Amino acid sequence: MLDKLVGLMMLIVATTVFLYYTTWTLLMPFVDQGHPLHDLFPPRVWAIRIPVILILLGSAVVGSFLSVVMIRSNRKKAAKARAVEAGKKKA
């Protein structure tokens, strides 16, 4: 039951963010500058900066994860090769 509640909350948050961002980027350019609706949104330049920052941050996290996995995998292979080589020297 908890997983369904968490999934529902994630869906609601994602839908809210999508609607807010869509309204901000697609509808607000057609509203007059003096309208009070503009007080609900940040400056338009952030409509580009936020996604770019998130993409760069996400790429850095994925790249870091992949590099850590590759380094650990290489260490395991090297340790296994050293163990096989040590076993051949004893025999």
Side-chain angles (χ1 to χ4, degrees):
M1 182 65 181
L2 182 62
D3 58 339
K4 289 183 180 182
L5 184 61
V6 170
L8 178 64
M9 291 306 297
M10 289 171 61
L11 180 64
I12 290 171
V13 168
T15 303
T16 304
V17 168
F18 174 76
L19 290 175
Y20 181 83
Y21 185 78
T22 301
T23 303
W24 179 27
T25 56
L26 297 179
L27 298 179
M28 291 310 292
F30 299 108
V31 177
D32 292 333
Q33 282 292 352
H35 199 277
L37 271 178
H38 278 285
D39 296 336
L40 299 174
F41 300 95
R44 238 180 261 144
V45 68
W46 286 100
I48 300 300
R49 287 182 185 168
I50 290 173
V52 168
I53 291 169
L54 290 176
I55 288 172
L56 290 174
L57 185 64
S59 298
V61 168
V62 169
S64 298
F65 173 75
L66 287 175
S67 64
V68 167
V69 168
M70 291 173 63
I71 289 169
R72 287 184 182 170
S73 175
N74 195 19
R75 284 184 186 165
K76 285 181 183 179
K77 286 181 183 178
K80 191 181 278 189
R82 274 189 250 126
V84 168
E85 189 176 309
K88 287 182 180 178
K89 286 183 181 179
K90 288 183 181 179

